[in-house]
Amino acid sequence: MLQLGALAQGPSHDDDRLNLRFEGGNLEQNTAEVTGALVDRGLLRMEAFLNKSAKNPAELIEAELGWPKGVVTDLLSLSLCRRNGHICSVVKGRASWRMQKLPWSTTVSPEEFSCDDASLPRYIICLPEVPIKSYLAGKRVVANPELDNIPLKVTRDLRGCDVFDARCKRVIERLNPGGKPELRDGVTTMMLPAKSIQIHIRDNPARRKEIENVFNTVVDAIRARNGLSGLSSDMRATVPIHLKQQSAPPSARPAAAAAARGPAPNPLQVMNYVRGPQRVMPNKPLGVGVWDGYADKAHCVFKRGGQSAIVLYTPLPIDVSKMGKVPSSPTCGSLRNFLSDAFDHATFVSSLIVGKSTPPFVVGAAPDAVIWQVEHVGDNLNKDLFVTEADKIGMPDVRVVNISQAYEAKEDGIKTQLAHVISPVEGYGHRVVFVAAAGNEGTDFNKQGVACRVIPACWSNEGEGANAVISVVALDAGGRRLLGSSNSGIQFDVAAVGDTTGAVFGGGYARYAGTSFAAPYVSALAALLFERVERDTAKIDARRIKHRILFTSTFIDGLESKMRFGRIDFARALDFSQDVLRLRPGTCPRGNCILRGDASPSTSVNISYALDEQGNTVNGLSLVMRDVKRLQATRLPNGEQRFWVVVRKNKVLKRYSAAMFSDTYISFTGLPKVAVADVEDYTACSFTKGCDGDLLP
């Protein structure tokens, strides 16, 4: 067991240091990942050390710097390798060290060497000058001694004790002097010992924000990768107390930590939500597939009288021990942390599509649809799920499939099967929209040499053989910034809010973030479009639904390289019977800023300058209005007006940004000429005769 001298407060810190703290779980690996990111970005001062006995980096660091064992992982070794090019090279993604011990006859001091010198001798290694220490902390956790396995939680999860013996029990008693767990909001919490690691960074105020941004980015990526919503409380940055801005006077006794993250702001409002006329398709509700893990069919948000909105689902596995402990919530509507990918993930995703609750702690965007939930893992990856599952008796017509999972393109079997399923020729891509999450590795796929391998999201690009896959990146709760963990790049189509509140297994709800939870909003919008279009007309090609969602999205300045189009907009997408022209306030005839009608299809418009999706300059682009699907005005910092433009030509959508028109006016049928400078937004109609009936077959 660790020494208890620092229990409950951790090591003290000097006034000029920033502290990064890690507790329980995989703390050595998490410490290594953050440290490596700081090394790669040059945010840690490197110091020269003599390698007197040719020790490997891990041995040398533990001996010279006193870091805890296990912190120097392969990932951190790679970062150190990149800063020690004189003795290390990267071979097949691993560090290959060529160190030499200090010759016995050599008398030198490490102060004689600079890590900025490219010609260092091989007995010198450069290491980050940063203390990393382990200690024991007290951590408030959701734990009921009558229900939970406290010995396992302390020894395995929190690693606060090596063994659950009498000494460990005395520590727990000291941390909980009242003897009884504390109840907060109906949740039982208690203090338990947790092994902790702290990085002390000599603080440079000018770089503090940069260090904190790196830390938060890595934390978000680890959270998303591991599916651990509580990780944010296990990894945190702290600053000297005299530098903090306190919103309230300090209390003699610190408040207990909240048991779970509270509800997010309403993401549907951010995405301009409207359902339109609430009348579903005439014969039976539309089905939305959720190809994910196991979903809680009995959850209260799915109840529709005596039935569930999840009408076909993968049943609970008989051997649940392989999936971890089944989480539970005592009542419908109880707030708790997102705990388990195996049980909570698919439940959360489905609730964002069809969830209903009173009071509305979870709101699904397409509540009249029903869910076809199936585990698209393991053996199911090599099946045609539409044949093996969707044709079962009573299953509604499935027109949308949500895939909040990612597969590697290198696995040829998966690639072949999924490619077959989504193909509009061989599979179901002519009648089913497939919505795919972009993934949560925080990778920018615009970078040279970074191949887009997130399947099926990376297959969504327009071009020959266009499909009905819509790829989705995630935005923060405000809907204007990319979520730190989200993959991004113009290989992906649209964005949606990914920091939101959804249902979790057993009747509860939680707040969590990731591209997994942005995708269901796009699936819900596709379902609403199918419902509205097909209740009055014949079946429509799924690729037309995809195009409508893409070009009606809201473009966000500064994010043009993060996705091809923008943040989805429910109201704009569902208003498709006519062209809609919105004018700038103050320029509207008789105060009417929204004009409806039909753009003159043969009218030419001319763009003198624009940037294409790759950021290349385009000059002298001449178009006709039938090809212009969207205009959105934006203003540069100097007040100059530019436009986002979406053009559909040769059955392909293309996006341009920073566009300047050489025309002064645009002509509309039945309306006077409209000054280009007065246009705030223009959206072409869809689906009806005379609009874009030639969009796709």
Side-chain angles (χ1 to χ4, degrees), residues 174-195:
R174 287 172 49 195
L175 292 173
N176 298 275
K180 293 182 180 180
E182 181 179 342
L183 289 175
R184 292 180 56 83
D185 300 323
V187 178
T188 304
T189 66
M190 64 185 301
M191 294 288 289
L192 294 174
K195 184 180 179 182

Side-chain angles (χ1 to χ4, degrees), residues 77-362:
S77 184
L78 265 178
S79 298
L80 296 175
C81 180
R82 288 189 282 266
R83 297 299 298 272
N84 287 275
H86 64 294
I87 54 172
C88 188
S89 59
V90 178
V91 179
K92 295 183 178 180
R94 298 180 66 88
S96 176
W97 294 89
R98 307 177 305 279
M99 293 178 294
Q100 178 185 21
K101 71 178 180 179
L102 180 69
W104 67 271
S105 59
T106 303
T107 303
V108 294
S109 170
E111 287 76 16
E112 300 175 22
F113 301 95
S114 170
C115 287
D116 295 325
D117 187 352
S119 58
L120 290 171
R122 290 174 59 185
Y123 54 76
I124 292 291
I125 183 171
C126 291
L127 302 175
E129 186 198 17
V130 56
I132 300 180
K133 304 294 183 184
S134 64
Y135 64 99
L136 199 62
K139 182 177 179 62
R140 185 171 296 278
V141 298
V142 179
N144 187 332
E146 297 180 0
L147 301 176
D148 292 314
N149 189 331
I150 299 300
L152 192 63
K153 185 178 289 288
V154 172
T155 57
R156 185 193 65 183
D157 299 340
L158 299 177
R159 298 167 60 193
C161 301
D162 293 332
V163 293
F164 192 73
D165 54 9
R167 186 180 182 186
C168 186
K169 292 177 183 178
R170 286 196 298 270
V171 173
I172 296 174
E173 290 172 359
R174 287 172 49 195
L175 292 173
N176 298 275
K180 293 182 180 180
E182 181 179 342
L183 289 175
R184 292 180 56 83
D185 300 323
V187 178
T188 304
T189 66
M190 64 185 301
M191 294 288 289
L192 294 174
K195 184 180 179 182
S196 306
I197 290 179
Q198 187 158 310
I199 306 175
H200 303 276
I201 300 177
R202 184 68 64 176
D203 192 23
N204 179 345
R207 308 194 78 175
R208 180 195 301 275
K209 191 65 178 177
E210 191 174 356
I211 292 171
E212 290 179 338
N213 286 341
V214 170
F215 176 77
N216 291 330
T217 298
V218 174
V219 170
D220 285 343
I222 296 173
R223 284 180 60 196
R225 185 171 67 240
N226 296 338
L228 298 172
S229 63
L231 195 58
S232 58
S233 65
D234 292 339
M235 305 173 65
R236 56 187 181 274
T238 58
V239 298
I241 192 68
H242 75 282
L243 296 178
K244 291 182 179 178
Q245 292 185 345
Q246 296 178 339
S247 58
S251 170
R253 183 185 180 203
R261 193 173 175 216
N266 188 340
L268 293 177
Q269 291 180 355
V270 173
M271 295 179 287
N272 200 18
Y273 178 69
V274 64
R275 287 176 60 191
Q278 297 182 20
R279 181 163 64 89
V280 299
M281 295 166 64
N283 296 323
K284 55 184 177 181
L286 182 138
V288 178
V290 174
W291 293 1
D292 208 291
Y294 171 77
D296 183 5
K297 178 183 178 182
H299 198 291
C300 56
V301 301
F302 302 130
K303 288 184 178 178
R304 303 291 187 268
Q307 297 181 322
S308 172
I310 301 181
V311 299
L312 182 67
Y313 72 108
T314 300
L316 181 67
I318 295 175
D319 187 3
V320 297
S321 64
K322 294 181 179 180
M323 301 175 67
K325 183 178 178 181
V326 180
S328 63
S329 298
T331 59
C332 178
S334 57
L335 176 65
R336 70 162 170 82
N337 278 323
F338 185 106
L339 299 175
S340 166
D341 268 345
F343 295 101
D344 289 344
H345 193 274
T347 306
F348 200 110
V349 167
S350 297
S351 72
L352 299 181
I353 301 171
V354 300
K356 287 182 181 179
S357 57
T358 306
F361 56 89
V362 175

